[in-house]
Amino acid sequence: MGQCHTVEHRAGVVKTVLDVQQPILVSLPETKADCSHLFGAQYVYAACNNICPNTKCPLKPVPGDTCENMKSLRVRALADTIDPSLTTLVKTAKDPGFYDNKIFPCDNKNCVPYDKVCDLKDDCEDGSDEKNCENQFQCSNETLELIVLSRVCDGVVHCKDFSDECLETCPSTNKNIFGNIILRSISITMGLMSTSCNSVSFVKSVWELPRQTSYEMFLNKAAILMICLGDLMLGIYLLLISYFDFIYNAGGNYCQNKYQWLSSSECSFLGVLSTTGSQLSLFAMTMLSLTRVANIGKLIQRECCSYKSVTKLGLLLVTPILAS
């Protein structure tokens, strides 16, 4: 953007028998520049003086029957004007001896000054002062909710309907939980395999646990039982997360539903389920490994390096791997 300087702007000044001639002073860029950061009077004059490229001037003629909210201040032009369509003058608030036509006619026949136009606020109360403004983003909800363009696709939700982060052009927009159907298919497949296999192993381990004949065998079976339970919980998690991915992405609207999903009890439950399952499996694997190490130590003390002891040592090392 070029440097700013103060220029004297006289566009649209009305000359009447009252000899009204009031210059307008406003700081504008020296060259053409992006005007998305300008608001109110600065944006109006920049856009209407061809300083903002590819930007329409938001102003329009001021008919004589407008400015219903300024009746006590309104004066009709009586004689020669530069632009015949600009027929309404308004007394200035600071000095009632001066008149100007720096007013914007709302669609509801009220008027607002230029500094209320394109300022992200519905000052006309019908939205007309923000209609042709290209320095803002209008959210997709029913109310006139406006935000600055720099807040669109910035990774932070500003619109109540999340529309500023759900545009196709937003690089961070997630279309669904998994990202694509391939990952969802893998999750369903792994979930079905884990749930079915670990369900059988879990039932079998529960049946065999009280029938163990030694303390070491009981600990081993209990650890295997916990590993089966943890992996079963993770399998259920994969199936459920795949299901909710389908539900919340119905119609391709996951972006709008994302925060509803993240704050839902289902999401919290699945978070607890996956964490508990993974930690349970990890704890059981650690316990099983420590038990195996203790048994190896006892075996080394009893039988040093015999063929029988080496065979037992190999079985003790391989069993936890197969059990997992």
Side-chain angles (χ1 to χ4, degrees):
M1 170 181 171
Q3 294 181 348
C4 291
H5 67 286
T6 301
V7 297
E8 187 177 273
H9 179 82
R10 296 176 181 270
V13 173
V14 177
K15 289 185 177 180
T16 71
V17 293
L18 299 175
D19 194 23
V20 176
Q21 188 173 19
Q22 183 176 351
I24 300 165
L25 299 179
V26 61
S27 294
L28 296 175
E30 291 180 347
T31 58
K32 290 185 180 295
D34 177 18
C35 297
S36 61
H37 62 288
L38 300 179
F39 303 94
Q42 275 194 323
Y43 178 83
V44 169
Y45 289 114
C48 295
N49 280 278
N50 200 29
I51 292 176
C52 311
N54 303 318
T55 301
K56 293 195 308 182
C57 176
L59 298 181
K60 54 186 178 180
V62 186
D65 60 347
T66 56
C67 302
E68 295 292 331
N69 58 329
M70 296 181 176
K71 279 186 176 180
S72 60
L73 301 175
R74 190 182 66 183
V75 177
R76 289 290 298 277
L78 302 177
D80 181 35
T81 64
I82 294 176
D83 185 346
S85 63
L86 301 176
T87 56
T88 300
L89 301 177
V90 175
K91 294 180 182 179
T92 59
K94 293 183 179 179
D95 190 346
F98 283 87
Y99 299 79
D100 64 43
N101 69 327
K102 302 191 297 292
I103 50 178
F104 175 86
C106 306
D107 290 347
N108 58 10
K109 294 196 173 183
N110 288 331
C111 292
V112 295
Y114 284 179
D115 60 352
K116 301 294 184 183
V117 179
C118 299
D119 65 344
L120 305 179
K121 184 180 178 183
D122 181 13
D123 299 286
C124 282
E125 298 182 354
D126 63 358
S128 55
D129 57 311
E130 305 297 321
K131 265 185 181 178
N132 298 312
C133 306
E134 299 177 31
N135 61 343
Q136 57 191 234
F137 174 81
Q138 182 171 349
C139 304
S140 300
N141 48 27
E142 295 180 358
T143 60
L144 186 64
E145 188 180 1
L146 304 168
I147 62 173
V148 296
L149 293 176
S150 60
R151 291 188 172 185
V152 179
C153 299
D154 64 348
V156 179
V157 175
H158 302 284
C159 293
K160 294 177 182 178
D161 61 353
F162 316 120
S163 55
D164 58 313
E165 297 300 320
C166 293
L167 301 174
E168 291 294 331
T169 53
C170 295
S172 60
T173 299
N174 292 321
K175 303 306 177 185
N176 45 50
I177 296 173
F178 285 109
N180 57 64
I181 193 171
I182 296 176
L183 292 178
R184 187 199 296 173
S185 301
I186 293 174
S187 175
I188 294 173
T189 302
M190 296 298 294
L192 289 172
M193 292 174 59
S194 177
T195 303
S196 57
C197 294
N198 284 288
S199 295
V200 175
S201 298
F202 178 76
V203 172
K204 182 180 178 182
S205 297
V206 169
W207 173 262
E208 293 176 349
L209 183 63
R211 292 167 176 77
Q212 302 304 307
T213 57
S214 67
Y215 178 70
E216 290 79 4
M217 292 177 66
F218 181 86
L219 287 180
N220 287 342
K221 186 58 68 173
I224 294 173
L225 177 63
M226 285 191 289
I227 292 173
C228 292
L229 179 59
D231 290 347
L232 175 61
M233 294 171 69
L234 290 175
I236 295 173
Y237 164 78
L238 289 174
L239 292 177
L240 289 178
I241 197 70
S242 301
Y243 168 76
F244 286 116
D245 174 61
F246 175 77
I247 294 298
Y248 280 92
N249 192 43
N253 293 325
Y254 174 70
C255 186
Q256 286 83 0
N257 298 330
K258 178 168 64 174
Y259 295 95
Q260 179 184 352
W261 156 248
L262 292 176
S263 60
S264 66
S265 57
E266 294 93 343
C267 183
S268 300
F269 169 75
L270 289 182
V272 173
L273 184 66
S274 62
T275 302
T276 303
S278 58
Q279 292 300 314
L280 186 61
S281 295
L282 180 61
F283 172 76
M285 285 295 296
T286 303
M287 187 177 73
L288 188 60
S289 299
L290 292 176
T291 302
R292 295 299 184 184
V293 170
N295 290 337
I296 290 171
K298 293 178 182 179
L299 180 62
I300 292 174
Q301 289 178 357
R302 286 200 312 263
E303 306 175 37
C304 179
C305 300
S306 66
Y307 175 79
K308 185 177 179 181
S309 63
V310 172
T311 303
K312 289 183 177 180
L313 179 61
L315 290 174
L316 287 172
L317 292 175
V318 172
T319 303
I321 299 175
L322 294 177
S324 62

